[in-house]
Each structure stands twice: as C-alpha cells, then as structure tokens.
Amino acid sequence: MKDSQGNLVLGRTRWRRFAAVVVPATIAVSGLMAGVAQGAVPVTFHISGQTAKISADHLSADGFSQYGGVLVEKNGTPHAVAMSAIKDAKLTNLCQSVTTPLPFGTFTLFIRAGRSAGAPVTAHNLLIGMDSLAGDAEFTNINIGADASELTAGGPASGTAGMFGQEADKAEIDNVKQVARSTQAGTFNLTGLSLTVEANSTGCFPG
C-alpha cells in the first residue's frame, strides 16, 4: 500500500477499521436528506427498499472512490448509504442474494457468476450504494478527506460539494461481504451466470 505521495506503507488495512474513516461521511446525512427533499441532490431512480447480500472471494478495483449518499424509496423513505464507485472491477466467485418473505414461505433469489478460474465477473463504471461492507482491503495511493464533488478515480460518479470523500488508484479486497441497496454499471459481464431460487436460505452469507 502507498500513501498519496507514493511512499510505501507496510501492512494491510482491515476494511472494518478503514470503515471507521468512512463514518465522518454520515455526519452530513441529515443535510443530504434535506437536499433530496428540496431537489438539490439528484436522485435518478427509486430503490425498492430491499437489500441484497453480495459476496466475492476477491474484488480487484482499478480506480476507487467513496462518499456518503442518500437513496430514496418510491414512498419517499430515505436511506443513508456509502456510495462506492469503481472504474473497472474484477470479482471472483460472485454471489448476490435477495430474500423475500411470501405467504407460503421465505425464498431467496441467487445470482452466481465468475466461479471458473481465469474468468472473473467484470464491470465498468460500477456504482454501489451499500449499508455495510466487510473484508480485508489494501489500497494504493489512497487520498482520504477529499471533497466528494472532486472525486475522479472511481469514474464519473461523485458526491456533493463539502462532503467527506476518499479515493485510491487501486483497491484489492479479499473475502468481500456487503449489504447493498443499489448497483449500477456501465457494463456488467457475468461469466458463467447461474440464477436459482431457494427456500429458507440465509443468502450468500449468514446474518
């Protein structure tokens, strides 16, 4: 891992510890919610309100940015999230699950891909609005505390002026486990795609 001046920093960064740096982004969430209500913060679509579990053995990001944001359901309910933008991503052994209770039982929709060696899932201009993320992460040339409106490393997506942001040239994350509310991408290539529905499942990971 290297700092913003290119100096080598030894060791690996635990995402859970790194997430503590992300927390200041939530300080301005109340202001963001007010901005959404007044139309000052653009919302391109309404989210469903459900969350998806996403896991991967490894995520390799070429260009990474992160900032605080708000996603809004059709009924107006807002959700504070961490927005993670990745210019180019590769994911091995990707799993995505969404669990829905129905009158005749609880069912989980699974999408799996990128399970064959040398054939990862790839995405360009990936943007994820997430509630949480865990894993072991290493960042190259990371810049913490940048203005969210000036982030460029992760692609075209950026945050609101005055908000806390951070970006890195590269990010490598092992044992990815995240809970996401939205995922967007310019292109998303799911190699070896498999879609199944299972009853009474905990999803891609427990909890």
Side-chain angles (χ1 to χ4, degrees), residues 10-198:
L10 298 178
R12 296 175 64 82
T13 302
R14 284 275 181 182
W15 179 267
R16 291 183 186 274
R17 296 175 183 172
F18 179 79
V21 181
V22 181
V23 171
T26 63
I27 295 174
V29 163
S30 59
L32 266 176
M33 291 180 177
V36 169
Q38 298 166 9
V41 179
V43 178
T44 57
F45 65 95
H46 293 109
I47 60 169
S48 68
Q50 286 187 289
T51 57
K53 291 181 179 179
I54 301 172
S55 67
D57 290 348
H58 184 76
L59 165 64
S60 179
D62 185 4
F64 173 88
S65 300
Q66 189 174 66
Y67 54 92
V70 174
L71 298 175
V72 183
E73 296 181 37
K74 190 171 184 178
N75 64 9
T77 302
H79 297 273
V81 294
M83 302 298 298
S84 290
I86 300 174
K87 185 178 292 183
D88 288 291
K90 293 181 180 180
L91 302 102
T92 57
N93 193 23
L94 173 68
C95 174
Q96 176 176 305
S97 64
V98 178
T99 300
T100 302
L102 297 173
F104 49 92
T106 299
F107 294 85
T108 301
L109 171 68
F110 284 91
I111 294 176
R112 298 180 176 92
R115 290 179 285 179
S116 299
V121 171
T122 61
H124 179 66
N125 287 340
L126 180 65
L127 181 63
I128 305 171
M130 66 183 72
D131 285 357
S132 64
L133 190 149
D136 297 307
E138 184 176 76
F139 298 87
T140 302
N141 291 335
I142 189 166
N143 179 15
I144 300 173
D147 190 290
S149 67
E150 297 180 352
L151 300 175
T152 59
S158 59
T160 302
M163 288 287 292
F164 185 98
Q166 51 201 359
E167 60 184 359
D169 289 347
K170 294 182 179 295
E172 304 289 340
I173 306 177
D174 292 323
N175 303 316
V176 178
K177 292 181 176 64
Q178 69 177 3
V179 177
R181 292 189 177 272
S182 71
T183 301
Q184 302 175 64
T187 58
F188 210 160
N189 299 309
L190 298 167
T191 54
L193 172 65
S194 170
L195 188 153
T196 59
V197 176
E198 301 178 19

